[in-house]
Amino acid sequence: MTGIFYDIGKMVKRKELKQKDIAEKLGISNTHISAILKGRCEPSKTLTMLAEIVFGGKPTEHPNKRIEAIVKTLEGMEPDTLQSALVCIEKEERLERLKKMEQGKHVA
């Protein structure tokens, strides 16, 4: 685990944040954030960017320029609004993966 989730993990260990609160702010399950913080699961690029926005730091650049534009719009928004926007971003990423699959490209 590196980057923002490493920092979040340290805050959880210091009892500055609770996993439940992190999951709620990011719009994911407590089980999912637990798996990420324990290194059993890799967060998506979008989830990482959202965590960077919500918990501080400058979001890394997303390879999809349409998603990058959405992320720039999200900066400075309240966490509740970000959760709704995450749904839009994830739909965009799914569409991108489907297009690549249709073109016969391997999608991770």
Side-chain angles (χ1 to χ4, degrees):
M1 174 179 44
T2 60
I4 189 67
F5 288 102
Y6 176 78
D7 295 339
I8 291 171
K10 286 175 29 181
M11 288 187 270
V12 169
K13 286 181 183 177
R14 290 190 305 254
K15 303 202 186 290
E16 295 171 18
L17 285 173
K18 293 181 179 179
Q19 282 186 192
K20 179 184 89 155
D21 297 331
I22 298 164
E24 191 175 293
K25 287 182 179 182
L26 295 178
I28 60 175
S29 71
N30 196 29
T31 306
H32 190 181
I33 193 63
S34 177
I36 291 170
L37 294 177
K38 290 179 180 177
R40 293 192 313 252
C41 172
E42 281 293 317
S44 70
K45 181 83 170 160
T46 301
L47 183 59
T48 300
M49 292 174 80
L50 181 63
E52 289 170 337
I53 293 169
V54 172
F55 294 102
K58 182 172 170 51
T60 54
E61 193 170 305
H62 197 286
N64 180 319
K65 295 304 170 195
R66 289 172 64 187
I67 293 174
E68 180 67 23
I70 294 168
V71 169
K72 287 197 183 307
T73 304
L74 300 178
E75 290 181 39
M77 286 186 179
E78 294 296 318
D80 291 343
T81 307
L82 289 172
Q83 288 178 12
S84 299
L86 177 62
V87 173
C88 296
I89 293 171
E90 288 178 339
K91 285 181 182 178
E92 182 70 26
E93 284 187 327
R94 278 190 220 115
L95 284 172
E96 185 178 311
R97 284 194 301 271
L98 285 172
K99 287 177 186 176
K100 286 181 180 178
M101 288 172 65
E102 288 173 358
Q103 296 170 355
K105 295 179 181 177
H106 175 71
V107 179

